[in-house]
Amino acid sequence: MRSFLLLILLLMAGCKDSSEQSVEDSEVKRCQEGWVEFTCKYPKQHETYQSISVVTPKNTTIQTTKKDVWENKGRVSLYHDTNNKNLRVVIKQLEPEDFGDYTCKFTRRDSSSDHKVKLEVEKKMCQRQFNQTAYRTATTTITCDYTGNKYKFFSKQNGLICEDILSTKSSLKLNGTFTLTETNSSFSVSISNVSSHDAGVYRCGVETHEGSYRASLRKIKLEVEDITNLTKSLTVGQNLTYWCRYPNSAPINKFICKGEDPSICQPLVSTAQRNKNTGKFSMKEDKEKRNITITVREVTTDDTGTYWCGAKSSDETRSSPFFHKLVMTVGLGHAYNNTKTITIAEVVRIAVLVLVFGLNLVLIYKLFKRSKNTRNEEAQNNDEDRANAEMQERPQMPGSGAVYATPNSPTNPSSASQHYYNITIQT
């Protein structure tokens, strides 16, 4: 018994997510030279089938011999999944002869069942592979053109499977260095701080809200390269002249742009312009030496930023190549820079040091004053003790009243132990 359900999958050069739902007899529209995967369910989930095979449009039969592992049959790969009760079929590098009707045949001892899939060419949505070059430590943006309200996804190819990195279906628009941004006519994915690990094959596409199919709209091959770097610190009002060298294979139209991301940077001046002097920026090309000389006049703080020297690609399937990166910082001078570098933390640190120094001065002063008072008290006590001791050593005349003693100069200076006093007794 056969049923025919038309399900148009506008897939391009796509590996599909391994969680995609199986589709019964269906029509799959594919791009030539692309990659398609479709799934055939068991006609009866509880049954066991002695053999499962696929009949191609050329009436060639490809039969499975293994279970739960991939079998490569030239450009066709089969996976008999006994856990999910289905057969997964992958056809790589599609050719014109691959388009037509496919039949999955499930055979038991007493009967057999078929699952038909029609593979057709879809040209309207087909986009050729795009080769994009990114530069280490910089940012790059991959753009996917699409108008519609379906869920968007961005994935990276890993063998026969595409692993999702970002998806609007799960509200996952930020994943490490990857950020997804939607517009009315497209969506894009930015990769910041690019490294060699980011190189590879990516695919962006859409998925229906009910999850009946996923469509890969574009295949992007990302390459990561190094680039010549230059860093300059200038003062407001100065002029800067530098140059960048380009290879023989560089396109004709050279240009200068500004921005952290060279793939979407803002153009400033190019060799295609008749007047290559815009007042602020000017450029001069020496074709024999393959050099471009760039001059920036009377810089201001607004000129601080990242500049790229590149060439406009004449190949629609490749990104524009870049040859030189300049990071320019413009300040107001040494005094400005010195003042500007004092941070709040440093101000607090200085205030704390001043406070501690003041407290130490107060503490030292108090200790000094206390020590001085103690010495005065000890000296006074010693004088009183000495006077009392001397009074006790001399005999006193009978009487009452206070006794005042005034020391006189000794009659014998050589005797340091003798002291003479005039005694006055008040009655």
Side-chain angles (χ1 to χ4, degrees):
M1 181 178 180
R2 298 181 180 180
S3 62
F4 196 80
L5 173 65
L6 291 180
L7 180 62
I8 301 176
L9 305 184
L10 301 177
L11 304 175
M12 178 207 166
C15 52
K16 270 192 329 185
D17 184 84
S18 58
S19 62
E20 181 175 347
Q21 298 294 326
S22 301
V23 291
E24 295 184 356
D25 298 357
S26 57
E27 181 178 352
V28 180
K29 292 196 174 183
R30 289 295 302 156
C31 297
Q32 189 171 329
E33 299 181 359
W35 183 354
V36 63
E37 176 182 341
F38 59 86
T39 305
C40 299
K41 286 184 177 180
Y42 279 16
K44 296 181 180 180
Q45 295 293 304
H46 61 279
E47 292 289 347
T48 300
Y49 296 93
Q50 277 67 44
S51 66
I52 302 176
S53 59
V54 177
V55 180
T56 68
K58 295 188 299 183
N59 204 27
T60 300
T61 300
I62 303 174
Q63 187 170 352
T64 62
T65 58
K66 301 178 182 179
K67 297 179 180 180
D68 301 318
V69 294
W70 281 103
E71 296 181 75
N72 293 321
K73 310 284 185 177
R75 291 184 296 106
V76 179
S77 297
L78 305 177
Y79 189 97
H80 182 189
D81 191 341
T82 58
N83 294 323
N84 295 313
K85 308 294 184 182
N86 59 40
L87 175 67
R88 295 170 60 186
V89 181
V90 174
I91 305 172
K92 301 179 288 292
Q93 298 297 323
L94 291 171
E95 298 177 356
E97 61 185 22
D98 295 324
F99 296 95
D101 293 333
Y102 287 80
T103 303
C104 296
K105 301 184 70 68
F106 297 85
T107 304
R108 296 186 301 169
R109 292 181 180 179
D110 53 349
S111 63
S112 65
S113 300
D114 298 340
H115 182 131
K116 292 184 67 66
V117 176
K118 185 176 181 64
L119 189 61
E120 293 185 348
V121 177
E122 172 59 45
K123 296 182 178 179
K124 183 178 179 180
M125 293 293 293
C126 290
Q127 301 179 36
R128 297 175 64 184
Q129 174 179 308
F130 189 76
N131 300 300
Q132 184 159 327
T133 302
Y135 303 93
R136 284 183 179 84
T137 72
T139 300
T140 192
T141 299
I142 297 173
T143 302
C144 300
D145 297 328
Y146 176 74
T147 301
N149 59 354
K150 294 181 175 62
Y151 294 117
K152 286 83 174 177
F153 69 86
F154 184 77
S155 60
K156 185 176 184 180
Q157 182 175 325
N158 183 9
L160 296 177
I161 301 299
C162 281
E163 299 176 347
D164 278 359
I165 297 176
L166 297 170
S167 173
T168 59
K169 185 175 183 180
S170 60
S171 299
L172 184 62
K173 296 186 179 182
L174 178 63
N175 184 4
T177 59
F178 294 82
T179 305
L180 188 150
T181 304
E182 294 183 84
T183 64
N184 294 331
S185 59
S186 65
F187 67 99
S188 61
V189 175
S190 296
I191 310 174
S192 60
N193 195 23
V194 172
S195 66
S196 301
H197 178 72
D198 298 317
V201 176
Y202 295 87
R203 288 184 174 81
C204 55
V206 294
E207 179 179 355
T208 58
H209 290 275
E210 66 277 8
S212 59
Y213 70 85
R214 290 163 62 90
S216 175
L217 302 178
R218 195 179 198 187
K219 177 182 178 181
I220 305 97
K221 182 179 181 182
L222 185 66
E223 299 176 348
V224 179
E225 296 181 358
D226 291 318
I227 192 169
T228 303
N229 287 275
L230 177 65
T231 302
K232 283 290 184 180
S233 297
L234 303 174
T235 302
V236 170
Q238 287 185 327
N239 296 338
L240 171 65
T241 299
Y242 68 100
W243 59 272
C244 65
R245 183 180 178 86
Y246 57 85
N248 282 326
S249 58
I252 297 176
N253 183 11
K254 319 299 188 304
F255 66 93
I256 302 299
C257 65
K258 181 181 180 182
E260 296 296 328
D261 185 348
S263 59
I264 56 174
C265 60
Q266 178 184 1
L268 299 174
V269 62
S270 72
T271 55
Q273 297 173 324
R274 291 184 179 180
N275 183 7
K276 302 176 182 59
N277 186 345
T278 62
K280 171 71 70 173
F281 296 88
S282 64
M283 62 188 307
K284 182 179 180 181
E285 182 180 8
D286 188 336
K287 295 183 179 180
E288 293 183 0
K289 296 181 179 180
R290 301 198 308 275
N291 282 343
I292 297 177
T293 303
I294 302 99
T295 300
V296 189
R297 297 181 180 86
E298 297 181 356
V299 298
T300 66
T301 54
D302 292 336
D303 295 323
T304 296
T306 303
Y307 297 82
W308 301 85
C309 173
K312 182 67 176 178
S313 176
S314 57
D315 186 353
E316 294 182 354
T317 64
R318 298 197 67 87
S319 62
S320 297
F322 290 88
F323 326 112
H324 191 277
K325 174 184 176 182
L326 167 69
V327 178
M328 181 167 61
T329 304
V330 181
L332 297 178
H334 296 293
Y336 169 81
N337 291 335
N338 292 338
T339 302
K340 188 176 180 180
T341 55
I342 297 178
T343 63
I344 295 177
E346 290 172 334
V347 172
V348 173
R349 190 179 302 113
I350 293 173
V352 171
L353 291 176
V354 171
L355 180 60
V356 172
F357 181 76
L359 292 176
N360 286 335
L361 287 179
V362 173
L363 180 59
I364 292 172
Y365 173 78
K366 289 184 176 181
L367 292 175
F368 175 79
K369 187 175 181 181
R370 183 180 301 175
S371 176
K372 183 177 181 181
N373 292 336
T374 302
R375 288 196 301 271
N376 291 337
E377 290 176 0
E378 290 177 354
Q380 184 177 357
N381 292 334
N382 290 337
D383 291 342
E384 291 177 358
D385 292 341
R386 190 180 300 111
N388 291 334
E390 291 175 350
M391 289 294 294
Q392 291 175 4
E393 291 176 358
R394 296 288 181 176
Q396 299 183 6
M397 296 179 64
S400 61
V403 178
Y404 296 91
T406 302
N408 293 325
S409 300
T411 57
N412 186 7
S414 61
S415 177
S417 63
Q418 294 180 359
H419 301 275
Y420 295 90
Y421 296 89
N422 290 328
I423 304 300
T424 303
I425 299 177
Q426 294 179 355
T427 59

